[in-house]
């Protein structure tokens, strides 16, 4: 039986290192790369096989440290210090510089997180009705004033007109076709060519005494006109988000007629297919015709159309501040007039069917005006002295009313193929 051969790292029996722990050529393979390598002294590999592992590693580290050390050159004021092979020390930063840098970084972070007027305006012009800062953008006015007909109106809110319009002192709007122009010269040239004298729709109501007419316009058939109408109304509505997508809506325009044509007073829009049974999506009376009773006339006409449809309707929520005041005043006056002219017992459902108001709107109005009282487990409607005085005052003051007999309108019917892309 052959005895195992001793390792080459152990040359004699007196060697303190046991033979089984000797270092063979194969064990030193990871140090072979040092032998003959450029920049490595040849003495580092001398007698490598005859040294223990700890000695080899220790000597290797010493030689490596000796080789990596670099002598620092003597300082010479006349010569510039070379940059290659040396570590250039960073300059000392003063406390003032640190504070200025921190303040600059803080300003950059605030610019990213806070509202940017320029970016938001550009987003609205390019993407239409979508905005991420509704409450902030409502405070921005990009159009100073508009001239429509004989009225010069100061705008209230933002409207996504082209950027060239924002640089003009005033925007000129044709009162018949609603086309905007940034200069008077362009507007006058347009007026010589424009032949439109009434809204491009179907006239469904005409009052010869008050010279009031209502026109119905399909947003899909008259896109340009309806978009111009939405851009105009956005100047005076803070919560309006409809600018370009007018296909799903029908617009009802109220005009006052004279020898020169039909002049726009206000309008309201309505969804062709409303899941919540809203009878009004957006409503506006132009500022020069406000506080003349035209707003309540628009509301009354919308409910007359709802009665013809044999439905109950309510305006789309949330309402603007002026819209809520107008509707609350109209509901209050209509209910007080109903109770003063007919004192018979009636339920909320009967009132809803008779007046086309939703039960929620009726109850909220009765509670808000303190007309609904509870007595011995029953609900009673009580008219206070202020309610009676309000009714008598409204009777003495002449106001416009809608005559249902003059309405020539049938509810539009849309085929499912016409609504699937809306």
């Amino acid at each position: 039986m052959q005895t195992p051969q001793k390792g080459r790292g152990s040359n004699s029996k007196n060697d303190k290192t046991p033979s089984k722990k000797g270092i063979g050529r194969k064990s030193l393979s990871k140090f072979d790369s040092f032998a003959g390598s450029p920049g490595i002294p040849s003495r580092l590999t001398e007698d490598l096989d005859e040294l223990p592992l700890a000695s080899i590693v220790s000597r290797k580290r010493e030689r490596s440290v000796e080789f990596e050390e670099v002598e620092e050159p003597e300082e010479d004021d006349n010569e510039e210090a070379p940059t290659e092979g040396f570590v250039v020390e960073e300059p000392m930063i003063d406390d003032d510089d640190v504070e200025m840098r921190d303040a600059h970084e803080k300003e950059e972070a605030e610019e990213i997180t806070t509202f940017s007027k320029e970016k938001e305006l550009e987003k609205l012009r390019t993407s239409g009705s979508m905005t991420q800062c509704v409450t902030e953008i409502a405070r921005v006015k990009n159009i100073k004033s508009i001239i429509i007909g004989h009225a010069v109106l100061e705008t209230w809110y933002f409207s996504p007109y082209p950027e060239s319009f924002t640089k003009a002192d005033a925007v000129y709007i044709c009162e018949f076709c609603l086309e905007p122009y940034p200069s008077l010269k362009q507007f006058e040239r347009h007026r010589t060519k424009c032949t439109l004298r009434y809204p491009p729709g179907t006239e469904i109501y005409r009052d010869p005494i008050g010279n009031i007419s209502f026109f119905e316009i399909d947003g899909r058939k008259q896109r340009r006109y309806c978009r111009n109408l939405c851009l105009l109304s956005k100047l005076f509505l803070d919560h309006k988000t409809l600018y370009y997508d007018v296909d799903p809506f029908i617009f009802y325009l109220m005009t006052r007629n004279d020898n020169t044509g039909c002049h726009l007073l206000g309008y309201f829009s309505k969804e062709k297919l409303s899941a919540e049974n809203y009878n009004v999506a957006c409503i506006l009376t132009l500022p020069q015709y406000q506080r003349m009773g035209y707003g309540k006339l628009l509301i009354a006409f919308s409910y007359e159309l709802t009665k013809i449809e044999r439905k109950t309707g309510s305006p789309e929520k949330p309402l603007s501040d002026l819209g809520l005041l107008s509707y609350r005043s109209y509901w209050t006056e209509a209910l007080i007039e109903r109770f003063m002219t007919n004192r018979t017992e009636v339920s909320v459902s009967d009132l809803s069917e008779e007046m086309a108001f939703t039960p929620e709107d009726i109850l909220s109005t009765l509670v808000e005006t303190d007309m609904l009282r509870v007595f011995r487990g029953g609900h009673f409607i009580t008219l206070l002295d202020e309610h009676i005085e309000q009714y008598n005052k409204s009777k003495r003051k002449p106001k416009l009313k809608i005559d249902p007999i003059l309405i020539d309108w049938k509810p539009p019917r849309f085929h499912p193929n016409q609504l699937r892309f809306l």
Side-chain angles (χ1 to χ4, degrees):
M1 184 173 180
Q2 297 180 357
T3 58
Q5 187 178 0
K6 296 182 181 180
R8 298 184 60 184
S10 145
N11 296 331
S12 64
K13 294 180 181 181
N14 298 328
D15 195 349
K16 296 180 181 180
T17 304
S19 60
K20 60 180 181 180
K21 294 184 179 180
I23 302 176
R25 174 68 61 180
K26 191 172 183 180
S27 301
L28 294 174
S29 60
K30 58 183 178 180
F31 295 107
D32 291 344
S33 59
F34 288 95
S37 298
I40 303 296
S42 58
R43 65 178 180 273
L44 185 64
T45 59
E46 293 177 356
D47 301 331
L48 192 62
D49 295 338
E50 299 178 359
L51 296 175
L53 178 60
S55 301
I56 294 174
V57 176
S58 177
R59 182 174 294 185
K60 167 178 168 286
R61 289 176 178 173
E62 292 176 0
R63 298 298 183 184
S64 300
V65 171
E66 287 182 7
F67 178 74
E68 289 178 358
E69 288 182 355
V70 179
E71 294 183 0
E72 296 183 0
E74 295 181 358
E75 295 182 356
D76 190 356
D77 297 338
N78 298 328
E79 296 182 1
E80 295 182 357
T83 56
E84 294 184 359
F86 294 89
V87 179
V88 180
E89 294 183 357
E90 295 184 359
M92 297 296 293
I93 301 177
D94 195 6
D95 294 339
D96 296 337
D97 297 336
V98 175
E99 293 179 359
M100 292 177 62
R101 183 181 62 185
D102 295 342
H104 181 66
E105 293 177 354
K106 185 177 180 180
E107 290 178 359
E108 290 181 350
E110 289 179 355
E111 289 179 359
I112 297 174
T113 56
T114 56
F115 170 77
S116 175
K117 173 184 173 182
E118 291 77 9
K119 293 181 180 179
E120 195 68 20
L121 294 182
E122 184 64 24
K123 186 189 301 182
L124 283 170
R125 291 192 188 98
T126 56
S127 61
S129 62
M130 301 305 295
T131 177
Q132 301 298 325
C133 303
V134 177
T135 56
E136 293 292 338
I137 202 63
R139 305 175 186 176
V140 180
K141 284 202 320 180
N142 59 334
I143 303 294
K144 296 180 181 178
S145 61
I146 63 170
I147 300 175
I148 178 170
H150 299 288
V152 180
L153 306 176
E154 183 179 355
T155 61
W156 299 349
Y157 304 105
F158 169 86
S159 184
Y161 280 98
E163 188 174 359
S164 59
F165 288 77
T166 62
K167 301 177 182 179
D169 295 333
V171 175
Y172 298 84
I173 299 178
C174 179
E175 60 177 332
F176 297 112
C177 67
L178 304 182
E179 283 289 337
Y181 293 93
S183 66
L184 179 60
K185 184 177 180 180
Q186 295 178 358
F187 174 72
E188 290 177 346
R189 184 171 55 189
H190 165 77
R191 291 299 303 138
T192 59
K193 300 177 181 179
C194 183
T195 58
L196 196 64
R197 292 295 178 269
Y198 53 85
T202 305
E203 187 177 15
I204 60 176
Y205 179 88
R206 179 184 294 179
D207 184 4
I209 299 176
N211 294 325
I212 298 295
S213 294
F214 279 87
F215 291 83
E216 181 184 54
I217 302 178
D218 190 344
R220 192 169 190 173
K221 296 179 181 179
Q222 299 290 340
R223 286 195 181 105
R224 187 175 184 87
Y225 183 89
C226 294
R227 286 173 180 173
N228 289 333
L229 178 62
C230 291
L231 289 173
L232 171 61
S233 63
K234 182 61 187 71
L235 292 171
F236 308 102
L237 294 175
D238 54 345
H239 294 293
K240 182 175 177 58
T241 57
L242 171 66
Y243 307 145
Y244 302 118
D245 188 15
V246 296
D247 290 6
F249 296 89
I250 300 178
F251 296 82
Y252 295 92
L253 280 69
M254 179 175 61
T255 62
R256 186 177 61 187
N257 310 327
D258 57 18
N259 296 330
T260 59
C262 300
H263 306 275
L264 180 64
L265 302 177
Y267 85 100
F268 69 89
S269 60
K270 181 180 179 180
E271 285 184 287
K272 295 178 181 177
L273 184 63
S274 176
E276 294 82 4
N277 290 328
Y278 292 140
N279 64 347
V280 168
C282 180
I283 186 170
L284 171 71
T285 303
L286 292 180
Q288 67 268 34
Y289 300 114
Q290 293 180 1
R291 296 184 178 275
M292 297 182 182
Y294 293 119
K296 292 182 180 179
L297 197 65
L298 282 170
I299 298 174
F301 189 78
S302 68
Y303 278 109
E304 290 296 334
L305 298 184
T306 307
K307 291 178 183 178
I308 297 176
E309 292 178 304
R310 297 182 180 180
K311 296 179 180 179
T312 60
S314 180
E316 185 175 338
K317 309 298 189 304
L319 287 169
S320 62
D321 297 337
L322 292 177
L324 181 59
L325 291 175
S326 300
Y327 267 94
R328 184 71 70 189
S329 177
Y330 175 79
W331 290 331
T332 302
E333 288 187 7
L335 288 173
I336 291 176
E337 184 178 359
R338 166 62 178 78
F339 299 146
M340 291 294 293
T341 56
N342 189 352
R343 296 175 179 266
T344 58
E345 186 176 348
V346 66
S347 63
V348 174
S349 59
D350 294 337
L351 288 174
S352 177
E353 184 178 354
E354 177 184 346
M355 308 180 71
F357 299 170
T358 60
E360 293 79 11
D361 293 338
I362 294 175
L363 289 174
S364 64
T365 303
L366 293 176
V367 173
E368 185 71 21
T369 56
D370 201 20
M371 288 191 290
L372 187 62
R373 299 296 181 88
V374 179
F375 181 72
R376 293 183 179 180
H379 293 80
F380 297 90
I381 295 176
T382 304
L383 294 179
L384 304 178
D385 293 339
E386 59 184 26
H387 300 146
I388 299 175
E389 182 180 355
Q390 180 181 354
Y391 171 74
N392 294 330
K393 184 178 179 180
S394 64
K395 291 291 289 184
R396 291 191 300 266
K397 183 173 63 175
K399 63 179 181 179
L400 300 172
K401 288 188 176 181
I402 296 294
D403 189 354
I405 301 177
L406 300 177
I407 299 178
D408 184 12
W409 180 77
K410 290 183 179 179
R413 305 294 180 183
F414 297 98
H415 193 271
N417 292 333
Q418 296 176 302
L419 300 175
R420 61 178 179 174
F421 297 111
L422 298 182

